[in-house]
Amino acid sequence: MKVVVVGAGIVGAACAFHAAAAGLDVTVLDRGPVGAGTTSRGEGNILLSDKEPGPELELARLSRDLWDEAGEELGPETVELEAKGGLVVASTSEALGALHAFAARQAGAGVRTQAVERVGELEPHIAPGLPGGVHYPQDAQVQPVLAAAALLRAAVRHGARTHTGEAAAAVTGAGGRITGVRTADGTVLPADAVVNAAGTWGGEVGRRLGAPVEILPRRGFVLVTEPLPPMIRHKVYSADYVANVASSDEGLETSCVVEGTRAGTILIGASRERVGFDTAMNPAVVATLAAQACRLFPFLRGVHLIRAYRGFRPYCPDHLPVIGPDPRVPGVVHACGHEGAGIGLAPGTGALVTAQLLGRPWRGADPAAHTGLLPDRFLTTGGVPK
């Protein structure tokens, strides 16, 4: 089977890696360097802690296991894979009660959770007086661009090829089945299947393939401090982060997320706003995120910021990724719409797409177990997007 994967971000790289490992003939198509889009604008989160029980959490649990496998194959130091764990903290007793209820639902779905009364024992530099939190030992972090590049190199070792260019249109044959992808320069890449792993541009790529999906950009900022000695042990975030992720509001939302990196810098997020593809710097958002981080970790008041970057998360209206064959165009398979969870969900997505292409389970991914992520959930019986 000839497969063209459109997108060389973390999700596309994972799809190429698993498909090539399964023996499929894979070509990866991207208009730019590996990981140059949303992948390069993220923190590298591999999280179970922020997901409600349901389709996304099941994919996250699969991905967490596959990240460990990928780390063994690629080398954990190569991709900076670190099983640091997550700490979600509440600022009020009411918020703590809601957090404990949320964690109990997750525990019922197989997530390891641990209630923490004295959060200072896990994070000595955290603000005093917080009523408590929940520790998630399975949360981890990876350097996303290094990981995408390593996955793509591994795919090439399994026989995959890369092609630079922009997907312009699908080439279809009898019965409307896809037979290839025409690039902007006129090159036709033969394909029995095309995987739409174009991230924030997945909606546009889907349209060009004749299978549009509603993927919208959601802008986010991340702040980076000067390098420091190790000060923060876990990924630490406030309990309202989960509500902000699940919100459909168009306006600005911020919630405190703080974590260290191997290089010693501290990453501070997270903001979300729907402003199209507006790349403008917004100093007010930077100031808000910095103030929230300083309230959570007071020592940050004396630390310099060295930069702030922003990017676009591929947002889907129901906050779930779109993964699976499109019923309107035989041969088109979507793997996009992961919003801010694409890094963590990439290995599971790659394994699931490969299982769908093979028509059988692959690396623990069973297509029958992930039907809640299929693109037909957005289609009426007549095949028209809702």
Side-chain angles (χ1 to χ4, degrees):
M1 179 184 292
K2 293 183 180 296
V3 179
V4 172
V5 177
V6 180
I10 190 73
V11 172
C15 289
F17 168 70
H18 282 287
L24 304 183
D25 184 335
V26 177
T27 299
V28 179
L29 173 66
D30 200 296
R31 61 187 177 185
V34 59
T38 298
T39 297
S40 66
R41 306 295 174 175
E43 298 166 88
N45 296 329
I46 303 172
L47 303 183
L48 302 182
S49 57
D50 64 340
K51 294 170 180 63
E52 282 272 10
E56 188 179 33
L57 180 56
E58 291 308 304
L59 184 64
R61 293 178 63 217
L62 170 65
S63 288
R64 184 64 188 87
D65 292 338
L66 290 175
W67 265 122
D68 283 341
E69 289 186 20
E72 292 177 6
E73 177 166 346
L74 306 175
E77 296 301 318
T78 301
V79 299
E80 297 185 12
L81 177 62
E82 186 177 5
K84 62 170 57 178
L87 177 63
V88 185
V89 297
S91 57
T92 66
S93 297
E94 181 181 6
L96 182 61
L99 175 59
H100 283 164
F102 179 71
R105 295 195 298 274
Q106 293 175 304
V111 178
R112 291 163 55 194
T113 69
Q114 178 185 6
V116 179
E117 183 177 350
R118 289 181 284 274
V119 295
E121 294 180 357
L122 272 69
E123 290 290 344
H125 300 287
I126 204 166
L130 294 170
V134 175
H135 177 225
Y136 290 86
Q138 292 164 291
D139 282 0
Q141 185 178 12
V142 74
Q143 211 291 344
V145 176
L146 293 178
L151 285 168
L152 193 54
R153 286 196 300 270
V156 170
R157 289 197 296 271
H158 285 294
R161 298 171 298 278
T162 61
H163 187 97
T164 301
E166 186 169 357
V171 178
T172 55
R177 183 169 189 87
I178 204 161
T179 60
V181 178
R182 180 177 289 107
T183 67
D185 66 2
T187 302
V188 174
L189 301 176
D192 301 301
V194 177
V195 178
N196 174 15
T200 309
W201 296 272
E204 174 61 20
V205 169
R207 184 188 66 78
R208 295 180 184 184
L209 296 174
V213 286
E214 191 175 5
I215 306 296
L216 304 170
R218 205 175 184 191
R219 189 175 69 184
F221 285 77
V222 176
L223 316 185
V224 185
T225 75
E226 61 186 312
L228 301 169
M231 300 287 284
I232 300 175
R233 301 174 178 177
H234 305 80
K235 177 185 177 67
V236 184
Y237 64 88
S238 57
D240 58 354
Y241 173 82
V242 174
N244 286 354
V245 169
S247 172
S248 298
D249 291 346
E250 294 188 15
L252 174 66
E253 295 179 339
T254 61
S255 52
C256 192
V257 182
V258 185
E259 62 190 314
T261 69
R262 292 277 182 90
T265 57
I266 293 174
L267 305 180
I268 298 169
S271 66
R272 283 173 163 78
E273 53 186 332
R274 285 172 53 186
V275 292
F277 284 100
D278 182 0
T279 60
M281 173 58 71
N282 188 335
V285 176
V286 173
T288 298
L289 292 175
Q292 290 177 338
C294 289
R295 285 195 292 271
L296 190 59
F297 286 97
F299 78 88
L300 289 172
R301 295 191 180 102
V303 173
H304 292 98
L305 288 177
I306 59 173
R307 67 187 179 104
Y309 61 91
R310 62 271 193 200
F312 301 100
R313 303 177 182 92
Y315 164 83
C316 200
D318 66 353
H319 303 284
L320 294 175
V322 184
I323 305 172
D326 194 294
R328 297 164 295 182
V329 181
V332 171
V333 179
H334 297 292
C336 50
H338 297 75
E339 200 171 338
I343 307 300
L345 298 178
T349 298
L352 180 55
V353 164
T354 301
Q356 291 162 338
L357 293 170
L358 295 172
R360 58 177 172 81
W362 171 257
R363 302 296 288 270
D366 183 353
H370 298 275
T371 57
L373 303 175
L374 291 171
D376 58 9
R377 71 184 191 269
F378 292 119
L379 306 178
T380 67
T381 54
V384 178
K386 293 180 180 178

